[in-house]
Amino acid sequence: KKGPVRVYGVSVPFLFLIKLLSRNKTAISYEWDYKEQAKTVYGGIKAIVAPFIEKLTLFGADIVFCTTERISSKIKREYKKKTFVVPLFVDTQKFHPSKTEKDYILYAARLEWFKGLDVLLKSQSILEKKGISTKLYIAGDGNAKKYKELAESFGLKNAVFLGPVENRKVGELMRHCKCFVLPTVTME
């Protein structure tokens, strides 16, 4: 079938084969620095092979959509590829403030270490120890057991795990929260 092929991320080393076999134009959405993150966050064998995977993937790309100027500059400098910067955005039809704010802090993301939920739980424990009793709602899918155990080890009384939440409901939670927090610990 003719038409562009678009992939998300730069860990698709067989993209050049897709391009060759389909004879279609290829585009990549590059949202975070794969090679740098593999080196600084994971280390080991992943850090060793990541540059090769990234290079192979980008070799097959006709165009790269980047979320930041920094990533765009890197792609142009290292791989001589055409880029467009498409910043991340917020859909203001779904996500807008409400006039009725409720007393809770909201975290809505995957329950993964690189999202910094452990940092937020530690911060919540500090607030609770100081007598600040704002609820912390945690919405998302992932390793809930690990983070519930961590919350328990901190003695948290106001952390509420909501589990996976539909986008529509996330918008509603965001409209009414006192504060939305996403303490990501890696550069995306």
Side-chain angles (χ1 to χ4, degrees):
K1 193 174 185 182
K2 288 291 179 189
V5 175
R6 184 172 181 184
V7 297
Y8 294 88
V10 294
S11 57
V12 187
F14 50 85
L15 182 63
F16 73 94
L17 287 174
I18 294 171
K19 180 179 179 171
L20 183 68
L21 295 173
S22 71
R23 297 183 183 175
N24 291 338
K25 294 284 186 185
T26 56
I28 295 177
S29 292
Y30 194 148
E31 298 176 4
W32 59 288
D33 194 331
Y34 175 74
K35 181 171 68 174
E36 184 62 28
Q37 291 301 307
K39 183 173 74 175
T40 59
V41 176
Y42 299 105
I45 191 74
K46 190 167 189 170
I48 294 167
V49 300
F52 301 108
I53 291 172
E54 182 177 271
K55 188 172 187 169
L56 273 174
T57 302
L58 288 164
F59 175 75
D62 292 302
I63 191 162
V64 182
F65 295 100
C66 305
T67 54
T68 66
E69 287 292 341
R70 184 185 70 77
I71 292 174
S72 175
S73 295
K74 172 199 165 178
I75 299 303
K76 288 176 183 175
R77 182 180 65 253
E78 293 183 24
Y79 301 104
K80 313 293 187 249
K81 292 292 180 177
K82 185 175 181 179
T83 66
F84 282 100
V85 176
V86 183
L88 299 174
F89 65 95
V90 173
D91 182 344
T92 57
Q93 296 299 312
K94 284 184 184 175
F95 302 101
H96 56 276
S98 170
K99 294 186 184 356
T100 57
E101 180 182 284
K102 296 182 180 171
D103 191 28
Y104 64 88
I105 296 168
L106 176 65
Y107 168 95
R110 291 185 312 274
L111 307 184
E112 301 288 346
W113 72 268
F114 52 86
K115 292 296 184 181
L117 183 53
D118 58 331
V119 174
L120 181 56
L121 293 172
K122 178 68 174 167
S123 300
Q124 178 73 7
S125 75
I126 292 168
L127 290 175
E128 287 187 14
K129 285 176 184 157
K130 291 185 176 195
I132 301 169
S133 62
T134 300
K135 286 218 181 289
L136 170 61
Y137 288 169
I138 299 161
D141 197 9
N143 196 345
K145 182 177 185 251
K146 171 186 172 181
Y147 291 105
K148 285 178 181 177
E149 288 172 358
L150 185 60
E152 192 175 298
S153 76
F154 287 143
L156 295 181
K157 297 185 182 8
N158 292 310
V160 180
F161 286 83
L162 304 173
V165 176
E166 294 178 30
N167 281 345
R168 178 179 45 80
K169 178 73 171 155
V170 171
E172 190 65 27
L173 287 166
M174 288 179 93
R175 265 191 286 290
H176 296 286
C177 70
K178 186 178 265 304
C179 176
F180 175 78
V181 181
L182 185 61
T184 303
V185 296
T186 64
M187 187 183 316
E188 294 194 55

